[in-house]
Amino acid sequence: MVLSGADKTNVKGLFAKIGGQAEDYGAETLERMFAAYPQTKTYFPHFDLGKGSAQVKGHGKKVAAALVEAANNIDDIAGALSKLSDLHAQKLRVDPVNFKLLGQCFLVVVATRNPALLTPEVHASLDKFLCAVGTVLTAKYR
Amino acid sequence: MVHWSAEEKQLISSVWGKVNVEECGAEALARLLIVYPWTQRFFDNFGNLSSPTAIIGNPKVRAHGKKVLTSFGEAIKNLDNLKATYSKLSELHCDKLHVDPENFRLLGDILIIVLAAHFGKDFTPSCQATWQKLVGVVAHALAHKYH
């Protein structure tokens, strides 16, 4: 699956509009993921996952930063996320199905906070982008 | 049988009560066809699906979206008896329509996003969790008679 020129424009445009709120988007994405897909909590036994958790906020910030980085380097997501890809393959080993779940929750956060931004075209592009990120992060698994 | 808490039932009915089935159904189906274009394979006779604009404006898409979401409403009325409620529909989707059940999951996820866009902050994490459970259970019921 290849990101078209229009996809790249849509994704960059979306992240530009989200701007500094990306951190909040990241935190809420995780909160929603843990609520909707409790099995994802198994990767965070060491976290306090209660409401307002500072650890979840901190981790959401990291996740969002990675998405922003990927969007800013959208012509070479594999290059931009290479170290993160190594980390997921060697240490974290999050099962690939979970990236879809995170992606779904990120889309929901964008939809709840900025419905006008998420036109069908942007929705399609963002979904593709999130798939591409998941693919990169699991690329070195085996 | 799936268990629904009182809170879950409340979250489902309070959202559903405010949904315009025709608009929401049309939008969900249109987005399915746009975001996951391979799903167009089931709709060769729908006419022009050549662009997002064409899909959104297509009257057959609107009508079918309304039909699908109306059926979803039946599920909500029969939460404690979903497999039976959808038994014939499941057979239809398998034997006549030949739809891969994965498509039910895709549509369910799209529906959640449409609801999220409509309800904004009111579509809380608990609300989303309940609705993700609901769409999952509906998809499962629709796939139940496959053979």
Side-chain angles (χ1 to χ4, degrees):
Chain A
M1 168 207 40
V2 169
L3 295 175
S4 68
D7 289 327
K8 293 178 185 180
T9 304
N10 286 338
V11 171
K12 286 174 111 71
L14 180 104
F15 277 92
K17 294 223 179 74
I18 291 175
Q21 292 174 72
E23 291 178 10
D24 289 339
Y25 278 54
E28 190 180 334
T29 295
L30 290 181
E31 185 193 349
R32 285 180 179 273
M33 189 182 72
F34 295 139
Y37 310 109
Q39 66 272 25
T40 57
K41 296 191 290 187
T42 59
Y43 292 96
F44 299 92
H46 53 301
F47 266 29
D48 160 28
L49 297 177
K51 197 153 170 59
S53 155
Q55 284 177 307
V56 173
K57 283 200 171 78
H59 197 66
K61 196 172 158 181
K62 272 194 209 167
V63 169
L67 290 177
V68 168
E69 183 69 6
N72 287 340
N73 294 278
I74 206 163
D75 289 323
D76 183 16
I77 297 175
L81 299 187
S82 179
K83 288 215 160 36
L84 213 50
S85 180
D86 291 338
L87 181 73
H88 281 76
Q90 290 155 20
K91 185 152 174 278
L92 304 178
R93 293 170 290 182
V94 172
D95 190 286
V97 313
N98 294 288
F99 296 95
K100 247 192 113 175
L101 306 183
L102 182 83
Q104 168 73 357
C105 291
F106 186 77
L107 282 162
V108 169
V109 173
V110 174
T112 58
R113 289 182 178 228
N114 233 316
L117 267 188
L118 202 68
T119 62
E121 292 88 336
V122 170
H123 178 171
S125 299
L126 186 58
D127 192 277
K128 281 172 79 174
F129 168 75
L130 293 166
C131 276
V133 169
T135 298
V136 162
L137 291 179
T138 57
K140 302 176 198 176
Y141 272 30
R142 55 179 172 168
Chain B
M1 213 190 73
V2 181
H3 173 74
W4 300 95
S5 70
E7 192 200 345
E8 285 171 331
K9 288 188 178 182
Q10 221 293 46
L11 285 170
I12 290 169
S13 57
S14 67
V15 165
W16 191 249
K18 299 185 196 119
V19 165
N20 178 321
V21 169
E22 180 166 357
E23 286 305 319
C24 188
E27 183 167 358
L29 188 64
R31 281 183 186 253
L32 180 76
L33 299 172
I34 292 165
V35 177
Y36 307 115
W38 55 93
T39 58
Q40 294 170 24
R41 70 190 298 284
F42 301 107
F43 302 105
D44 276 343
N45 63 332
F46 268 29
N48 187 3
L49 298 178
S50 59
S51 70
T53 311
I55 291 170
I56 291 164
N58 186 311
K60 286 189 171 174
V61 171
R62 285 194 74 85
H64 196 67
K66 178 181 175 184
K67 191 174 180 185
V68 169
L69 209 63
T70 301
S71 171
F72 199 85
E74 279 310 299
I76 290 177
K77 283 194 212 132
N78 291 282
L79 283 180
D80 294 325
N81 200 12
L82 263 175
K83 290 207 171 90
T85 303
Y86 272 178
S87 178
K88 288 257 166 330
L89 256 184
S90 180
E91 286 172 5
L92 179 78
H93 280 77
C94 174
D95 300 331
K96 293 269 171 343
L97 304 177
H98 311 292
V99 176
D100 178 347
E102 180 60 23
N103 291 285
F104 310 142
R105 291 178 257 286
L106 291 180
L107 182 63
D109 278 351
I110 294 263
L111 177 61
I112 301 270
I113 289 166
V114 170
L115 293 175
H118 186 80
F119 288 97
K121 285 197 160 41
D122 288 345
F123 200 65
T124 61
S126 309
C127 207
Q128 180 190 351
T130 299
W131 275 80
Q132 296 282 176
K133 178 179 169 179
L134 176 62
V135 301
V137 163
V138 167
H140 186 77
L142 265 176
H144 189 246
K145 286 311 221 10
Y146 272 57
H147 59 97

